[in-house]
Structures are given as C-alpha cells and as structure tokens.
Amino acid sequence: MNLRIDKKTDVEGLLSRVENFASSLSADETTVAEITTIASEIAYNIIKYAPEGTLSLEYLENAKCVRIAASDCGPGFADVFEDAMKDGFSSSGSLGLGLPSLVRMCDELDVTTSSHGTKIICIKGI
C-alpha cells in the first residue's frame, strides 16, 4: 500500500486504510493499534514539518512482519537528532513523544535525516 501525504491529506482516511490493512494481517488488537499508531506518528510529522511525503506499508510474508517506509522532503532534524529520539524533546511545543514511541513500538527502526528530507523504515512483527 502506497500513500501520498501532503497538507491537504485527510489523515483520518489514510489511517483508516492503514488500520484495515493491519487488521487483514493480524487479529491481535494491540498489533493493529501499534501499526496504526506508527503510521499516525509518521504521517502527522510529515504534515507538521514537510510540504509532502509518502508512506508505504508492505507485508513481508517470509519474515511475518510489516515494513512501514516513509520519506519526505522537509528540512530534516539532523542537528537535534539525538535529542529528538528522547522522550520530552520537541522543536514545536508538542509533548515530544512521537519519535521515542516509534523506538518502543518498532522491532527495527532506521531513521535517516538531512536538510533534504527524512526517511524512516520501521519493521513491526505480526
């Protein structure tokens, strides 16, 4: 599933599609909620910090996991990366829980960021 995210995106509709996708793969409500929450955190960060981005979800059957990949063309956060990965840090006045929650929910997480954008790859077991 490939989804485009921009300032006009109806995130609720996008998240509904993500939840349906996750529900089709797992009957475990916690797993479905975590996949949906991961997508939500990423989508809202794209809307907040970048003009546009993409989010894709793919079921990797051989590994029994979902690969969530996102990229945007925003300004990135390389200068505060270490702080941004800690609970409570925010550059926008939020609670600062989004990226740290990804660390907790994902089985594997790779974040690459620069002044040209951010790429996130999250692996979540089913």
Side-chain angles (χ1 to χ4, degrees):
M1 171 186 325
N2 295 306
L3 306 164
R4 180 179 158 82
I5 301 168
D6 62 28
K7 301 290 185 199
K8 298 174 188 165
T9 298
D10 177 1
V11 176
E12 289 178 15
L14 177 142
L15 294 177
S16 176
R17 291 181 62 192
V18 170
E19 184 176 20
N20 289 339
F21 173 79
S23 294
S24 74
L25 300 172
S26 176
D28 180 61
E29 291 179 17
T30 301
T31 299
V32 172
E34 287 181 344
I35 291 170
T36 305
T37 301
I38 291 165
S40 174
E41 291 295 338
I42 294 170
Y44 279 113
N45 276 352
I46 290 172
I47 287 172
K48 187 185 282 187
Y49 298 109
E52 64 183 8
T54 60
L55 179 76
S56 67
L57 286 87
E58 175 184 14
Y59 178 60
L60 305 175
E61 189 171 354
N62 60 337
K64 302 283 188 247
C65 65
V66 172
R67 180 180 184 270
I68 303 164
S71 65
D72 68 47
C73 57
F77 57 98
D79 56 333
V80 295
F81 181 83
E82 293 299 321
D83 290 330
M85 300 307 280
K86 297 175 188 171
D87 283 329
F89 176 83
S90 174
S91 62
S92 67
S94 70
L95 295 175
L97 300 174
L99 287 172
S101 71
L102 294 183
V103 172
R104 288 188 289 276
M105 287 185 284
C106 298
D107 295 316
E108 295 177 37
L109 179 66
D110 181 49
V111 179
T112 306
T113 187
S114 73
S115 60
H116 302 291
T118 299
K119 293 181 189 218
I120 295 176
I121 298 175
C122 168
I123 303 296
K124 177 67 182 165
I126 296 288

